């Protein structure tokens, strides 16, 4: 024998079901919003890290080696590079900072040695990197991060020029 | 007297309504936190880029000849306003025209003081967005004294 429920009970059950659906949908939405925000924040932090690390690395390299005529923008085996010369024990060494195979690389070599673009130590992953000598005392490096944003950093060289007499 | 009895579904309904109320309050709070996180992320990125841009402008000034021309050599679209300059940047901190500007960096000379004033010049570099300061620094340019090698027959 089939027992018929009153109409009010059916409406009540439907209402509960509808409320539960709304509850579940809102909970899912909240989780999705949180996840999206987390992804955004993580992405921005990653991009900031790449931008800041590259800029700081280049700036500190130039500041640490700021000697007269030691730093210049150069062509290194066909790619633009920042060249920093040092002299130790009568031998001239050059540190090349350049971009090759998706990485900013650093290579410290004696001028007489044999090397290739693959020889450089990987520093940070980038999409592009160029160096220009704007003035005798100013080098400008432009780099593109893995997120596609292009930034530039000015690298002032303090050991040049001067005016007046003592 | 007729005693009214609550059905099981009625109690379940009340429970769900109560759940939804609590959930709504928590959702409101968490959404506010998410919104704050979003605005903080945007502000952090802006500050981060402002620091780099101000440092670049300061670097141009410090390495040049101590005049505003050393900055204008690099930032060709900078506006010249009677002694100080303003450089305009878009939302990605690329240099742009005034009409497209979101951020701007103003560079103004600071009054010289001391005995080495002819060799030392200072400028304030201030980055703003909607007239609100984001970051500022002071850049100094020092032209070193050169020893005259002709003195004493050297």
């Amino acid at each position: 024998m089939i027992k018929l429920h009153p109409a009010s009970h059916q409406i009540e059950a439907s209402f509960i079901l509808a409320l539960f659906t709304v509850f579940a949908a809102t909970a899912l939405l909240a989780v999705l919003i949180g996840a999206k925000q987390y992804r955004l924040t993580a992405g921005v932090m990653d991009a900031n890290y790449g931008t800041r690390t590259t800029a700081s690395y280049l700036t500190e390299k130039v500041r640490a080696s700021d000697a007269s005529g030691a730093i210049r923008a150069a062509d290194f085996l066909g790619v633009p590079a920042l060249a920093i010369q040092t002299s130790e024990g009568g031998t001239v060494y050059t540190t090349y900072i350049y971009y090759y195979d998706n990485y900013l690389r650093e290579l410290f070599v004696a001028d007489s040695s044999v090397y290739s673009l693959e020889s450089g130590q990987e520093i940070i992953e980038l999409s592009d990197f160029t160096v220009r000598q704007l003035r005798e005392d100013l080098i400008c490096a432009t780099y593109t991060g893995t997120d596609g944003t292009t930034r530039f950093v000015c690298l002032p060289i303090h050991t040049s020029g001067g005016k007046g007499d003592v | 007297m007729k005693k009214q009895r609550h059905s099981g579904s009625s109690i379940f309904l009340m429970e769900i309504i109560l759940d939804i109320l609590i959930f709504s309050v928590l959702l409101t709070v968490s959404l506010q936190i998410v919104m704050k996180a979003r605005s903080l992320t945007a502000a952090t990125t802006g500050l981060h880029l402002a620091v780099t841009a101000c440092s670049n402008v300061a670097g141009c000034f410090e390495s040049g000849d101590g005049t505003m021309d050393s900055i204008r050599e690099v930032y060709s679209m900078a506006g010249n306003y009677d002694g100080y300059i303003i450089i305009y940047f878009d939302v990605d901190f690329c240099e742009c025209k005034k009409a497209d500007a979101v951020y701007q960096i103003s560079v103004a000379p600071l009054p010289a003081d001391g005995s080495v004033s002819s060799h030392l010049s200072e400028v304030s570099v201030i980055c703003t967005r909607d007239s609100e300061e984001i970051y500022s620094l002071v850049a100094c340019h020092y032209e070193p004294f050169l020893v005259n090698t002709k003195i004493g027959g050297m």
Side-chain angles (χ1 to χ4, degrees), chain A residues 4 23 35 49 61 84 94 110 125 150 154:
Chain A
L4 292 172
F23 178 80
Y49 170 79
K61 271 285 176 187
I84 303 168
T94 307
E125 194 175 2
T150 300
C154 290

Side-chain angles (χ1 to χ4, degrees), chain B residues 99-129:
Chain B
D100 306 321
V102 175
Y103 300 92
Q104 60 183 45
I105 291 181
S106 57
V107 187
L110 294 174
D113 59 341
S115 59
V116 291
S117 59
S118 64
H119 284 256
L120 183 68
S121 48
E122 291 183 323
V123 291
S124 68
V125 182
I126 302 170
C127 181
T128 56
R129 178 176 182 165

Side-chain angles (χ1 to χ4, degrees), chain A residues 12 15-16 19 23 26-27 30 37 41 44 48 52 135 137-138 151-154 156 158 162-166, chain B residues 9-10 12-13 20 23 27 38 45 48-49 56 59-60 63-64 70 73 75 92 118-119 143-146 148:
Chain A
E12 200 173 89
F15 185 63
I16 289 169
L19 267 180
F23 178 80
T26 318
Q37 180 57 36
T41 306
V44 168
N48 284 350
R52 196 62 182 252
R135 294 194 301 250
D137 53 10
L138 185 67
R151 310 277 178 221
F152 90 102
V153 58
C154 290
H158 297 279
K163 71 175 182 183
D165 296 336
V166 172
Chain B
S9 61
S10 173
F12 187 55
L13 175 68
I20 287 176
F23 180 75
L27 187 67
R38 183 178 281 267
T45 305
H48 183 82
L49 295 174
N56 284 342
C60 293
S63 67
S70 55
E73 274 180 39
Y75 298 94
D92 292 323
S118 64
H119 284 256
E143 282 288 347
F145 289 92
L146 294 180
N148 190 343

Side-chain angles (χ1 to χ4, degrees), chain B residues 83-99:
Chain B
Y84 68 98
I85 60 171
I86 296 180
I87 309 161
Y88 301 99
F89 295 92
D90 65 10
V91 72
D92 292 323
F93 257 95
C94 296
E95 193 191 6
C96 67
K97 292 177 182 173
K98 185 179 180 180

Side-chain angles (χ1 to χ4, degrees), chain A residues 3 14 18 31 39 42 47 50 53 87 108 128 161:
Chain A
K3 193 177 179 181
S14 305
V31 170
R39 195 183 304 147
T53 303
S87 181
F108 179 76
D128 195 20

